Amino acid sequence: MTTQPRYFDVIDATWPASNTQQIGGFLVRDGRDADGASGGKRVSAASQTGAQFDPADIDAVEAAQRAMDQTPLFMIRGGDTALDSALAARGYRVIDPVVLYGAPIDALVGDPPPKVSTFCIWGPLAIQRDIWAAGGIGPARMAIMERAGAPKTSILGRMKDHPAGTAFVAIHDGIAMVHAMEVLPEQRRQGWGRYAMRRAAIWAREHGATEMALLCVKDNTAANGLYSSIGMVPVGEYHYRSLEGGE
C-alpha cells in the first residue's frame, strides 16, 4: 500500500526527531533527548527521500547512526521495494510492521464523551507522566511531545473515579495525529479508548483539523480492532529494517 507523502510529513511534525540530516538519498533522524536517551524507532530511523539511492549512501547512513550509538535502522515505506531488497541482502530483518489509519474528523466526533471521562490538558500532569512511564513512554518520548509544535494537547482519562489513560495529540497541515495512547491495565475494555478518540476529534475540529490519523503496529489486535470499529481505515503502512535486531 502506497502512503501519501503528506502523512509522513505529519508524523515528522507531530512526533519530531531532535535533529535530522540529509545523507545522499536519505533523511537521517537523531531521536536522542538531551541526556542521550533514545526516543524510539520512529524518531531514529532513516528514510528514503528520492526515487533512487546510491548503495554507498547506505554505508554512510550506517556510519552516522553508529556515531549516534544507534543500531542501523531504516523505515521502509510503500514503494521502497528496491531499498527493502538491498537491506535484506545486507542482513537487515523486518521489525514492527505498522498500519497508518485515517478518517475525516466529522466521522469521529459523535456525541461528547461522558462528563469527567476525558480532559484536554497541556502540559501533562504528573499522573499522566506516571501512566505513560508504566507503558514504557519515559522522558525521551516526553521530550518528543515537548518538541512538537502547536496546536497540541494531551488527553487525560478517568473511569469509575480513577485515572484511566492518557494520549498525545498534535496537528499539522489540517491532520490531527494521535500518539502514545496508554490505558491502565485495570481500566481496559471499559470503553475509554473510544472516549479518548472522540475527545481528541472534538478538540482537533475546534483547532481547525479536518482529518484524524494515528499509527498502530499490526500485531496489536485489540488496538487495531478499536480503530476499525470507530470508522478509521488504513491509509498507508510501513515497516522497519534493523541490522542487529532493533532497539
Side-chain angles (χ1 to χ4, degrees), residues 120-146:
C120 292
I121 299 170
W122 191 260
L125 302 179
I127 184 59
Q128 293 174 273
R129 295 176 183 273
D130 290 343
I131 294 171
W132 272 315
I137 299 172
R141 287 173 172 83
M142 295 303 302
I144 295 170
M145 300 181 205
E146 295 289 347

Side-chain angles (χ1 to χ4, degrees), residues 2 5 7 10-11 23 27 36 57 62 68 72 80 113 121 126 146 158 165 179 181 187 192 194 199 214 232:
T2 300
Y7 287 111
V10 174
I11 294 170
I23 297 180
L27 181 68
D57 294 343
E62 290 176 351
M68 294 185 283
D80 291 345
I121 299 170
E146 295 289 347
R158 291 182 64 83
H179 298 274
M181 183 180 289
Q187 295 282 26
W192 185 78
R194 292 174 180 270
R199 176 60 62 198
L214 56 81
M232 302 196 79

Side-chain angles (χ1 to χ4, degrees), residues 17-35:
S18 55
N19 289 290
T20 61
Q21 59 178 312
Q22 190 73 34
I23 297 180
F26 295 96
L27 181 68
V28 179
R29 298 172 179 83
D30 181 353
R32 297 172 295 176
D33 67 7
D35 295 322

Side-chain angles (χ1 to χ4, degrees), residues 105-106 150-152 170-176 200-212:
I105 287 287
D106 289 344
K152 62 184 176 182
I171 299 173
H172 177 75
D173 194 25
I175 300 175
I202 292 170
W203 173 87
R205 186 169 67 176
E206 291 173 348
H207 288 78
T210 58
E211 187 176 352
M212 181 79 78

Side-chain angles (χ1 to χ4, degrees), residues 2-235:
T2 300
T3 309
Q4 295 181 33
R6 68 190 183 104
Y7 287 111
F8 290 110
D9 292 340
V10 174
I11 294 170
D12 283 338
T14 61
W15 197 253
S18 55
N19 289 290
T20 61
Q21 59 178 312
Q22 190 73 34
I23 297 180
F26 295 96
L27 181 68
V28 179
R29 298 172 179 83
D30 181 353
R32 297 172 295 176
D33 67 7
D35 295 322
S38 171
K41 291 184 285 295
R42 201 179 309 163
V43 292
S44 302
S47 56
Q48 187 176 341
T49 56
Q52 297 180 331
F53 63 92
D54 187 328
D57 294 343
I58 297 176
D59 297 327
V61 170
E62 290 176 351
Q65 291 180 325
R66 288 194 172 105
M68 294 185 283
D69 295 322
Q70 180 181 309
T71 298
L73 180 72
F74 289 78
M75 176 188 288
I76 309 300
R77 305 169 177 180
D80 291 345
T81 53
L83 175 61
D84 205 25
S85 297
L87 293 175
R90 287 171 173 248
Y92 282 73
R93 72 179 185 92
V94 173
I95 54 174
D96 289 349
V98 171
V99 181
L100 172 60
Y101 286 95
I105 287 287
D106 289 344
L108 300 176
V109 170
D111 296 327
K115 290 183 178 180
V116 307
S117 66
T118 55
F119 305 87
C120 292
I121 299 170
W122 191 260
L125 302 179
I127 184 59
Q128 293 174 273
R129 295 176 183 273
D130 290 343
I131 294 171
W132 272 315
I137 299 172
R141 287 173 172 83
M142 295 303 302
I144 295 170
M145 300 181 205
E146 295 289 347
R147 287 197 296 267
K152 62 184 176 182
T153 193
S154 67
I155 309 293
L156 169 64
R158 291 182 64 83
M159 296 285 284
K160 299 179 179 179
D161 296 323
H162 293 283
T166 187
F168 174 72
V169 192
I171 299 173
H172 177 75
D173 194 25
I175 300 175
M177 182 156 274
V178 179
H179 298 274
M181 183 180 289
E182 285 291 328
V183 184
L184 289 171
E186 64 272 20
Q187 295 282 26
R188 292 172 186 167
R189 300 180 180 86
Q190 304 294 322
W192 185 78
R194 292 174 180 270
Y195 297 154
M197 291 300 297
R198 204 179 303 166
R199 176 60 62 198
I202 292 170
W203 173 87
R205 186 169 67 176
E206 291 173 348
H207 288 78
T210 58
E211 187 176 352
M212 181 79 78
L214 56 81
L215 302 165
C216 187
V217 291
K218 287 186 177 180
D219 64 3
N220 190 336
T221 304
N224 281 286
L226 166 64
Y227 303 136
S228 296
S229 72
I230 63 174
M232 302 196 79
V233 298
V235 294

